[in-house]
Amino acid sequence: MAKQERQIVIRPESERNVQEIYKAKNGRMKENFYLEELTKLQIELLKLQNWVKATKQKVIIIMEGRDAAGKGGTIKALTSHMNPRGCRVVALNKPTETEKTEWYFKRYISTLPSGGEIVFYDRSWYNRAGVEKVMNFCTQEQYKEFITQVSNLEQMLISSGTMIFKYFLDVGRDEQKRRILRRKTDPLRMWKLSPIDGKSLDLWEQYTEAFEKMFARTHTHICPWTIVNTNDKKRARLNIARDILSKIDYEGKDQTAVCLLPDPSIVWTYSQYQGTHLDPAKEIQKQLKELKEAKEAEKKEKKAQKNATKKQEIAKQESKAESKMAKPKSSKDSKVATKAKSQNKAKETDQSDTPLSKP
């Protein structure tokens, strides 16, 4: 008997009831579903790391994006079960006075992966195209030099056998404000807050313009940008993991155990990106609201039908009672009534024939 092939797992978000996966309150993914899927993806990420180590591959994964978009949290979720001996996270501080005098890319060269390593960049050399440009931390000449050289550098790295994946984590303006304000009050998040974060709220348009220019100049066929909507951090993390795993043919890859297909409403390449997208969380909220309204309408309809049936039963019983009262008496009852009437009449006659007693 021929062995039946196992089917590739489709996104469970598409297959399962939306109410099982998302919160009605805000349309965000529920914790239990997120952890269930993340665990499966972390197993695949470990397989990827083992393959990278065994084959001496070099992998760079860049996490860029707006302030408070979830870059650090995403890296933590993806690397939490990886072997630290073959996985590094690079998050450089601002350049020193000495580094400012050197070739801009020099301080990043020493952080590049060796054979068998995966390196995650929590912000990268693209700082120059974003925060440095907007905040005037670099001159226009330095910016032009960077934007001219960066694609050539990436092409050289790829030609030497390095895989580069560039992710830009995008977050809505209102959500960014909410997260930054939370950092000000949450003692466990205060360390994430910097003076630049507050200014980014006021410089939203300037950052948007800078990022658009960055994409236009540095999105190439061999090293494209992937843009991720991170208004729902959990959905974003799952889909970034799926996207990475879908792009590499590593040993032991199992698409029958876990979904490796990123959600196109969360992840796009820059060439697909149109600048304005619906907030996935709001779309989920809309679906949940519609389901709730449909359920309530169904409940009301059932209640109305029940009341109508009850009224019909009551009306039927009342009609039956009225019919019974209006129904003519039976022949037996008529005979009894006639006999009683005759007896009463005879009695009255006897009484009238009896002579009056004398005084």
Side-chain angles (χ1 to χ4, degrees):
M1 185 176 178
K3 187 177 179 180
Q4 187 176 4
E5 290 187 5
R6 295 171 67 190
Q7 297 295 312
I8 291 176
V9 175
I10 305 301
R11 276 190 307 280
E13 298 97 303
S14 305
E15 297 291 304
R16 287 166 61 174
N17 190 322
V18 67
Q19 293 169 314
E20 295 178 24
I21 300 172
Y22 303 104
K23 301 174 187 176
K25 180 181 178 182
N26 54 20
R28 307 287 170 82
M29 187 171 279
K30 291 182 177 179
E31 184 76 8
N32 56 349
F33 175 82
Y34 164 70
L35 292 175
E36 178 187 329
E37 286 301 304
L38 181 62
T39 300
K40 296 175 186 176
L41 291 166
Q42 286 171 334
I43 291 171
E44 291 298 309
L45 287 166
L46 271 172
K47 292 180 186 178
L48 169 63
Q49 185 184 22
N50 291 335
W51 173 79
V52 168
K53 185 177 180 180
T55 57
K56 303 297 180 184
Q57 300 293 327
K58 295 170 286 186
V59 181
I60 291 174
I61 300 175
I62 291 173
M63 294 291 171
E64 281 291 343
R66 292 185 183 273
D67 293 326
K71 298 177 288 294
T74 298
I75 292 173
K76 184 178 179 180
L78 300 184
T79 61
S80 59
H81 290 285
M82 283 188 172
N83 185 342
R85 292 183 180 86
C87 173
R88 288 188 287 116
V89 178
V90 175
L92 298 183
N93 288 318
K94 63 181 182 179
T96 64
E97 291 303 316
T98 301
E99 287 173 333
K100 288 179 182 179
T101 66
E102 298 171 341
W103 179 47
Y104 177 72
F105 294 100
K106 180 183 175 182
R107 70 192 197 118
Y108 290 100
I109 298 301
S110 61
T111 68
L112 296 174
S114 302
E117 272 194 314
I118 300 174
V119 176
F120 286 84
Y121 284 87
D122 186 349
R123 294 194 182 275
S124 66
W125 43 82
Y126 281 100
N127 263 349
R128 177 138 291 181
V131 63
E132 289 191 23
K133 176 175 172 55
V134 174
M135 300 300 294
N136 294 316
F137 293 155
C138 67
T139 65
Q140 187 62 21
E141 289 72 22
Q142 288 172 326
Y143 170 77
K144 286 181 179 179
E145 182 181 80
F146 165 81
I147 214 73
T148 303
Q149 294 179 353
V150 64
S151 292
N152 293 329
L153 174 66
E154 289 170 353
Q155 185 171 3
M156 285 189 287
L157 289 172
I158 292 168
S159 297
S160 69
T162 302
M163 289 184 273
I164 304 177
F165 302 96
K166 300 190 297 191
Y167 291 93
F168 183 88
L169 279 56
D170 199 14
V171 64
R173 196 169 192 168
D174 291 340
E175 179 62 16
Q176 183 190 51
K177 182 178 180 180
R178 187 190 70 80
R179 292 179 188 177
I180 289 175
L181 291 176
R182 188 179 181 185
R183 289 178 178 182
K184 291 181 179 180
T185 57
D186 187 340
L188 296 178
R189 288 182 169 85
M190 282 183 180
W191 67 270
K192 296 182 178 183
L193 191 64
S194 72
I196 294 174
D197 289 340
K199 293 179 181 178
S200 64
L201 294 172
D202 300 325
L203 297 170
W204 179 272
E205 288 80 10
Q206 290 88 329
Y207 271 104
T208 300
E209 183 182 353
F211 292 141
E212 285 292 341
K213 288 180 178 179
M214 178 185 77
F215 295 142
R217 294 294 300 273
T218 64
H219 175 78
T220 62
H221 176 69
I222 62 169
C223 196
W225 276 104
T226 300
I227 300 172
V228 186
N229 183 304
T230 63
N231 277 4
D232 184 344
K233 289 181 180 181
K234 294 182 178 66
R235 289 182 77 182
R237 291 168 189 169
L238 294 184
N239 283 287
I240 289 172
R242 290 168 179 169
D243 192 70
I244 293 169
L245 293 166
S246 70
K247 291 176 177 176
I248 304 175
D249 292 324
Y250 55 91
E251 187 178 352
K253 188 174 187 175
D254 188 0
Q255 297 187 70
T256 66
V258 60
C259 172
L260 302 183
L261 303 172
D263 188 338
S265 69
I266 302 292
V267 177
W268 320 272
T269 60
Y270 174 65
S271 56
Q272 299 168 325
Y273 185 67
Q274 300 299 318
T276 303
H277 289 269
L278 296 173
D279 183 346
K282 288 183 179 179
E283 286 298 295
I284 292 295
Q285 275 185 295
K286 184 180 177 182
Q287 290 179 38
L288 290 170
K289 185 179 179 182
E290 288 172 353
L291 285 171
K292 185 179 179 181
E293 289 173 350
K295 196 172 182 180
E296 288 176 352
E298 185 181 357
K299 191 176 179 181
K300 285 180 182 178
E301 187 178 348
K302 284 183 178 179
K303 188 176 180 180
Q305 288 177 352
K306 188 177 180 181
N307 289 337
T309 303
K310 191 174 181 180
K311 285 180 180 179
Q312 288 175 358
E313 287 294 324
I314 292 171
K316 191 175 179 182
Q317 290 175 5
E318 289 176 349
S319 177
K320 191 174 180 180
E322 289 174 0
S323 298
K324 190 173 182 181
M325 290 176 66
K327 189 176 180 181
K329 295 179 179 179
S330 64
S331 57
K332 186 177 179 181
D333 292 339
S334 298
K335 287 179 181 179
V336 172
T338 303
K339 186 177 180 181
K341 189 175 181 181
S342 299
Q343 288 175 348
N344 289 336
K345 190 174 182 181
K347 190 175 181 181
E348 288 174 0
T349 303
D350 290 342
Q351 288 177 352
S352 62
D353 291 343
T354 303
L356 295 172
S357 58
K358 292 181 181 181

